[in-house]
Amino acid sequence: MKTKIVKLEQLEHNENELKEAGQILRDGGLVAFPTETVYGLGADGLNSEASAKIYSAKGRPSDNPLILHIADIKTVDVLAKDVSKEARKVMEVFWPGPLTVILNKKEVVPYGTTGGLDTVAIRMPSHPVARELIKVAGVAVAAPSANTSGRPSPTTAQHVLQDMDGRIDMIVDGGKVGIGIESTIVDMTGEIPMILRPGYITKPMLEQVIGKEVRIDPAILSKEGMDGIRPKAPGMKYKHYAPKGELTIVSSHNMDNMVQTINKLAKEKLDAGYVVGIIATEETKDQYPNGVVKEIGSRKDQVSISAGLYSVLRDFDDAGVEFIYSEGFEQDDFGQAIMNRLLKAAGYEMIRV
Ligand code: TXA
Ligand code: MG
């Protein structure tokens, strides 16, 4: 299969390309497209055969359910039932945006899309290209992140091409995405809303709108949790986002200590002849004399860090880096989502100094 790439920088000048992408989706094909979080790999989510193609293109385990992307909040009632007042409120406030809501599914949603579950994940993205594409396609677009299973999620069309060339019909290139890590997932089917995957929409933001406590799935917070308890989002149990090099996070409240420790660890590996990468920030990048140093973003702007994370991990893979040392980040609200991805990539290897 030849993968067609179309650049969509200005929507109003690209109606024909969007129509073509929409037609591919209606015909049961695969189209990768940008969202505000990461690039998605789309298929008609109500067509089991089409969503089955997603699993084979990604090499994704079939028990890992897909998110249905919609462009109009009314579509929720086509796909889901027993939608509580609180769930509606959350969708009205945070959509379109980086929030996925788990609801009880209606019969139209095939088990092939939900990995056999009776619940369905739904999200209305805010990225203008994603919204237009879903509208033009006129179907609920099932879309996981457009990476090969186990690789970092793609934040540019180039990343998608690296993983999906020859495996999908089309890549819609809308430039670099904004947030760079996947949407928050909140399960609204139970008495107490539960965050199954942390993201840009945080627990306090949800609590403020819902007006009561929101819990975080304990299984996703630590390695101990992951070993002991089964996470409620099936995808969270896999070792995701793993770079080829061995990643260690060095965390400290004292920047100087952190930098010194990273330099010491890096030097040991360099002296032993290994290729070493360092994940630095704008504030610290000049303090690392050795190794392949990549600036991920600025500590003053958390979104710059989330937006840079996956791309840096991919760069290190391409550079054949064997050991990676990353600075640690604060685990406050959105910081928790960033550290969740970084910790998973590190297999929970973190040194506190
Ligand atoms: O930001 C995002 O959400 C991106 C963009 C493309 O929208 N999509 C994304 O999809 O991250 P994916 O497939 O890579 O991750 C979906 C996660 C998986 O961990 C999956 O197990 C979980 O959502 N999930 C999907 N349906 C679920 C359900 N019914 N119950 C629990 N977890 C579910
Ligand atoms: Mg993914």
Side-chain angles (χ1 to χ4, degrees):
M1 178 190 294
K2 177 118 181 60
T3 301
K4 183 170 177 180
I5 304 166
V6 297
K7 255 201 154 66
L8 273 200
E9 250 125 56
Q10 281 176 298
L11 274 179
E12 56 275 25
H13 298 145
N14 294 283
E15 265 174 49
N16 289 336
E17 285 84 353
L18 267 181
K19 274 191 193 144
E20 191 186 344
Q23 188 63 47
I24 293 172
L25 289 173
R26 278 195 299 282
D27 290 344
L30 300 181
V31 177
F33 60 95
T35 80
E36 68 277 25
T37 56
V38 298
Y39 271 76
L41 176 54
D44 179 351
L46 300 190
N47 172 347
S48 297
E49 270 170 50
S51 38
K53 290 185 193 165
I54 290 180
Y55 288 92
S56 57
K58 279 181 63 89
R60 179 176 174 112
S62 62
D63 69 340
N64 192 0
L66 306 172
I67 298 172
L68 289 180
H69 294 65
I70 61 174
D72 182 341
I73 200 161
K74 289 193 205 106
T75 312
V76 166
D77 294 303
V78 176
L79 306 171
K81 59 184 181 187
D82 321 319
V83 183
S84 68
K85 258 199 198 139
E86 289 161 346
R88 282 193 201 279
K89 211 163 161 196
V90 159
M91 295 186 282
E92 274 159 21
V93 171
F94 295 107
W95 283 0
L99 179 74
T100 296
V101 178
I102 307 285
L103 297 165
N104 287 324
K105 83 171 192 74
K106 278 189 176 166
E107 227 166 279
V108 282
V109 181
Y111 283 115
T113 298
T114 67
L117 298 175
D118 288 312
T119 53
V120 59
I122 308 178
R123 154 160 138 79
M124 180 156 62
S126 64
H127 195 294
V129 172
R131 300 195 67 189
E132 265 328 291
L133 174 61
I134 299 163
K135 266 190 222 159
V136 170
V139 298
V141 179
S145 48
N147 52 288
T148 303
S149 244
R151 289 214 73 198
S153 295
T155 54
T156 66
Q158 215 42 48
H159 295 162
V160 179
L161 190 66
Q162 281 176 358
D163 288 10
M164 293 297 155
D165 195 15
R167 299 176 156 261
I168 65 177
D169 299 285
M170 188 187 264
I171 299 172
V172 177
D173 180 353
K176 190 173 185 282
V177 301
I179 296 173
I181 61 175
E182 305 82 351
S183 62
T184 305
I185 302 179
V186 63
D187 183 347
M188 297 298 297
T189 62
E191 197 43 51
I192 299 166
M194 188 169 313
I195 293 174
L196 309 188
R197 179 173 73 182
Y200 185 76
I201 306 296
T202 62
K203 177 174 135 92
M205 287 161 82
L206 287 165
E207 283 175 337
Q208 204 191 2
V209 167
I210 298 172
K212 70 175 190 194
E213 192 201 352
V214 171
R215 290 210 185 128
I216 300 186
D217 182 358
I220 65 180
L221 290 178
S222 66
K223 184 169 171 33
E224 291 70 48
M226 305 246 8
D227 289 344
I229 331 163
R230 179 175 256 269
K232 294 190 175 54
M236 298 296 279
K237 72 173 177 273
Y238 299 106
K239 190 185 178 205
H240 261 197
Y241 327 116
K244 291 180 191 143
E246 194 180 304
L247 169 62
T248 303
I249 304 165
V250 177
S251 164
S252 175
H253 293 297
N254 181 315
M255 287 290 134
D256 290 337
N257 281 350
M258 185 186 70
V259 170
Q260 271 172 30
T261 306
I262 290 176
N263 275 328
K264 186 173 142 270
L265 293 168
K267 181 131 195 327
E268 279 167 18
K269 292 294 182 212
L270 283 162
D271 288 347
Y274 292 109
V275 185
V276 175
I278 292 173
I279 300 182
T281 48
E282 199 183 310
E283 289 76 12
T284 56
K285 64 173 190 290
D286 297 330
Q287 300 170 45
Y288 299 105
N290 307 308
V292 186
V293 181
K294 298 258 177 210
E295 174 196 329
I296 182 176
S298 165
R299 288 189 175 270
K300 295 191 196 93
D301 175 10
Q302 278 185 312
V303 175
S304 73
I305 290 175
S306 62
L309 176 61
Y310 289 146
S311 179
V312 165
L313 293 178
R314 276 181 182 260
D315 287 348
F316 282 148
D317 279 355
D318 297 344
V321 166
E322 295 163 287
F323 288 91
I324 307 168
Y325 297 99
S326 175
E327 297 184 5
F329 301 96
E330 239 187 286
Q331 301 212 36
D332 61 354
D333 305 328
F334 181 43
Q336 185 174 56
I338 297 172
M339 283 302 284
N340 167 263
R341 306 313 195 272
L342 195 56
L343 278 162
K344 283 182 82 170
Y348 293 86
E349 269 321 304
M350 179 152 80
I351 300 171
R352 286 198 175 80
V353 288

